[in-house]
Each structure stands twice: as structure tokens, then as C-alpha cells.
Amino acid sequence: LLLLLSAALAAADDVTLDLQSVVVATFDDPNEMQWIVQGSKFATKDFPLAQPVRAWPDSLFGRNPKNQNTLLALGVHSRFDRKGYNYIEVIPAKKGSDGKLAPAPIVLPGRVRMIDMWVWGANYNYTLDVHMRDFQGVDRVLHAGSMMFAGWKNMSVVVTGNIPQSRRYLPQFQPLELTKIVIWTHPTEKVDD
């Protein structure tokens, strides 16, 4: 028993864990990062509307931060013609050579254990999903939870071990890509305001 225990401890020495929080995207500089915001089939004509707004979570920056003139959030106003499983997609993008926005997934650094983001909710019965793509091209959907709250909330989702971030052959490390954030409406929730 002692030999097995010491062998397990020796093997544990080979694994190093260095957890770091890394900001991969903000809305503070609209020229640096572009976003495509689009609605599902029953989105009202000319909706959703999206634009940078001067807003921030007090829990993160305080009520009067020194850099409040540079803090921005992405404001999205949606409206749908009928109730159902409607959704809004927020997709990272870059301008192409033709000047049009095209999806440009965000490559996430390191082996991702968790994704978290600050979200402002208006107490609607909506849910938030995070979509990622692994190195094999498989799209993964992680459910971050309900947006049925008022004001700012830090929402997070754990990236489970069954999502591959490495392979057997060199180079072993294979990063994940954030492809989009999706907000779903509950089928009975009001959608025309």
C-alpha cells in the first residue's frame, strides 16, 4: 500500500496546474473587435439592434471608475413577431477585404477550464449558451444558464474534460475557438417589447 501511494504521489509531481484568468474580448474598443448580431427566423424586421453603450458592472469596476469614459458594453435590443424558441446570435467578426463583416472565431489561449462573462439581464426568461469549436471541427454548446435576473451578473460555464484540447501527436496542445454566444427565449416569454 505504501509503494502504491508513493508511486501515485510521484506521478502527481509531473502534472503542473497554473490557473490564470485571461480577458479575451471586451467591447471597450469597437474598432478593435467587431461583432455580428443577428436574430432567428421570427425576428421583427430591422431587429435585433446592437450598439456600444456606456455601461459597466459596479461589482467589477465600482460606481465611478476613473476609466468610465472608455468602458463600453454591447447593448442588444431584440423583438420577435411571435413566441417560440427564438434566439439572438452574437458572433465575433472581422472586416474582410470587401469591407463586409465575416465571422472570425476567437482562439482561446491555453487549456480552458471555465468561461465567464458579465451579462446584464432585464428579468426576461431567456437563457445563454456559449458555442465553441474544438480542433477536430466539432461545435460544442455549453449552457451558461438563465438570464432571468435584473442588472449585472457574472455568468460562467465549466469546460468539461470531454471536450478535447490536446491530441496524442505533436503538437499536442490544440486550442478551442469561441464561435458565438446565443441568447434563447423561453417559448412562453414575452418577445415583442
Side-chain angles (χ1 to χ4, degrees):
L1 181 64
L2 185 58
L3 279 175
L4 291 175
L5 182 61
S6 63
L9 290 175
D13 284 343
D14 292 339
V15 178
T16 303
L17 187 61
D18 180 19
L19 296 176
Q20 298 178 9
S21 292
V22 178
V23 176
V24 294
T26 69
F27 301 105
D28 294 340
D29 184 0
N31 297 323
E32 178 184 326
M33 188 80 187
Q34 304 276 321
W35 299 86
I36 297 169
V37 179
Q38 59 192 22
S40 58
K41 179 179 180 180
F42 297 112
T44 301
K45 188 177 189 290
D46 299 328
F47 280 87
L49 303 171
Q51 71 178 45
V53 294
R54 194 156 315 285
W56 58 87
D58 289 349
S59 299
L60 188 60
F61 295 105
R63 287 195 177 268
N64 292 311
K66 292 180 181 177
N67 60 339
Q68 65 181 293
N69 291 331
T70 62
L71 294 176
L72 296 174
L74 181 65
V76 177
H77 180 205
S78 65
R79 182 175 288 175
F80 298 93
D81 293 332
R82 59 192 275 192
K83 292 180 181 181
Y85 286 106
N86 298 300
Y87 60 84
I88 301 163
E89 296 176 318
V90 181
I91 304 167
K94 288 190 178 175
K95 281 190 179 177
S97 57
D98 59 357
K100 295 181 180 178
L101 286 178
I106 299 171
V107 177
L108 302 174
R111 285 189 171 87
V112 181
R113 298 284 180 134
M114 178 185 290
I115 293 179
D116 80 327
M117 63 191 84
W118 284 92
V119 178
W120 190 87
N123 219 17
Y124 285 97
N125 192 4
Y126 296 169
T127 57
L128 184 105
D129 291 343
V130 177
H131 290 239
M132 296 190 305
R133 184 173 299 132
D134 67 22
F135 72 94
Q136 297 168 325
V138 177
D139 289 329
R140 309 291 180 141
V141 179
L142 302 175
H143 305 290
S146 173
M147 292 180 61
M148 202 166 178
F149 55 85
W152 288 100
K153 182 178 179 182
N154 185 238
M155 297 183 73
S156 63
V157 61
V158 173
V159 178
T160 58
N162 66 340
I163 299 176
Q165 298 185 55
S166 64
R167 61 183 180 177
R168 183 175 140 204
Y169 306 103
L170 293 178
Q172 287 181 318
F173 170 68
Q174 299 293 314
L176 294 174
E177 297 178 333
L178 174 71
T179 56
K180 61 184 167 182
I181 298 164
V182 181
I183 300 167
W184 287 92
T185 68
H186 189 274
T188 60
E189 183 60 89
K190 183 177 181 172
V191 293
D192 57 355
D193 248 354

